[in-house]
Amino acid sequence: MHIKHVCIEFEIYVLSCQVYITFSDNVPIDYDIEMNIKSIKITLAEKDIFFLQVKEYTFEEDDVRDIKVYGNKLVFRAQLNSCPDKESSCFSFTSKYMPVLKNDEEVLITCCSCQNLFNSKSYSFRRVLPVEICDVNHMFCHGGTENMVFQPQDDDCYYDKVSIYIRNKHWTSSNAIKCQNCNVCLGVCVEYGLRLWLDSINIKFGNYDVQTHALPYDCFATIVDDIIKTMLGPISHIIMKYKDSENLNHYLLMKIIKKNEFAIALNPSCSNVLTLDRKKCSSIIWHTSSEFVEKWRNDYYVTEIQISEKMYLSAVKNLTEINNQFLIGNYSTGQEKSKKSYLFND
Ligand SMILES: [Zn+2]
């Protein structure tokens, strides 16, 4: 029996913390939790003893409450005696991937899943210009600011960190753009043309150079990073959505909490003494049921963001895994409930 991992979320303003410990096996009936100033001592079945410590934090002695056992998870609340002087900061992410489209060079776009050509004709872009995620709709609809009027021409290509925008007046629907061979969604039609996702396409140049697709989870993390950097308050309500090949919308509703005091320890060497590390962390309360979309739109200031099918699937997979790994996981039953996940820097 050993500890697989520990996660502690600190609520520094009320000097409290929530501790989640995941063991390799189910927690036995006779367990004991002992809070010392500098460590937490866990005793299982009177023989297995574990120590947890977090640098920079101290605990109130003998103050443990709300103890719950869920299979191999032991969850409880403890009081803090002191916190670090300096608050930690929020999750941040910088993608290594940037598109490198060039001017006046023949470009072919293919589906990254099956390599089928997206369009039999090649593109040649006269101007290739960077834009910020989410700004494009605003700029095209309202002409940008006084000093910066965007008047896209037919052969212009704009790109942000997760997509490219191709001006094309012949495509005017609000439908998903799907690969005609394998049906994966490659992008969406927008007012002025097409928006193709960088995690869903490969770009081939005339000289046979190929630029492979971005990683879907990196694109999702890039968008979250952008949201966190522009948040004015501590919480933001975000609806991410994608249109599948049948033009049905799928939603990921997220409350992003900008900053969390959080520490974890993984335990690959099965040690009995663990030191938890503070991480740059943000947390997300999320669910995927569409029935609350209208309520959110009415009740909150909501930012809605289009994402790709691949981003959506990788986000839900990763958020679910983090919830299962560190928190209580699948133990809630019945109607779909919100789940909590953490995004943190390694
Ligand atoms: Zn395909």
Side-chain angles (χ1 to χ4, degrees), residues 225-261:
D225 177 80
D226 258 43
I227 294 165
I228 290 170
K229 279 189 184 132
T230 53
M231 276 170 74
L232 298 173
I235 298 178
S236 221
H237 289 79
I238 309 290
I239 298 179
M240 289 194 179
K241 57 188 177 182
Y242 86 92
K243 224 169 231 186
D244 67 16
S245 55
E246 308 295 319
N247 285 316
L248 292 171
N249 276 313
H250 298 257
Y251 297 97
L252 175 58
L253 286 77
M254 307 192 295
K255 274 182 221 177
I256 297 184
I257 294 131
K258 189 169 183 172
K259 194 159 67 176
N260 256 94
E261 286 290 335

Side-chain angles (χ1 to χ4, degrees), residues 194-251:
L194 320 172
R195 183 180 188 191
L196 299 171
W197 304 113
L198 291 175
D199 65 3
S200 307
I201 56 166
N202 287 338
I203 297 166
K204 289 186 179 169
F205 298 101
N207 61 1
Y208 301 108
D209 273 353
V210 179
Q211 189 185 351
T212 52
H213 55 96
L215 295 173
Y217 186 74
D218 286 6
C219 292
F220 168 74
T222 299
I223 294 175
V224 173
D225 177 80
D226 258 43
I227 294 165
I228 290 170
K229 279 189 184 132
T230 53
M231 276 170 74
L232 298 173
I235 298 178
S236 221
H237 289 79
I238 309 290
I239 298 179
M240 289 194 179
K241 57 188 177 182
Y242 86 92
K243 224 169 231 186
D244 67 16
S245 55
E246 308 295 319
N247 285 316
L248 292 171
N249 276 313
H250 298 257
Y251 297 97

Side-chain angles (χ1 to χ4, degrees), residues 111-116 179-184 186:
C111 162
C112 79
S113 301
C114 74
Q115 307 307 325
N116 202 49
C179 170
Q180 291 182 331
N181 186 45
C182 73
N183 234 18
V184 159
L186 306 179

Side-chain angles (χ1 to χ4, degrees), residues 30 46 81 90 96 128 184 192 227 241 247 253 265 271 281 309 319:
D30 52 336
E46 294 179 1
N81 186 294
C90 32
K96 294 185 192 83
V128 178
V184 159
Y192 45 85
I227 294 165
K241 57 188 177 182
N247 285 316
L253 286 77
S271 168
C281 176
E309 179 175 2
L319 294 176

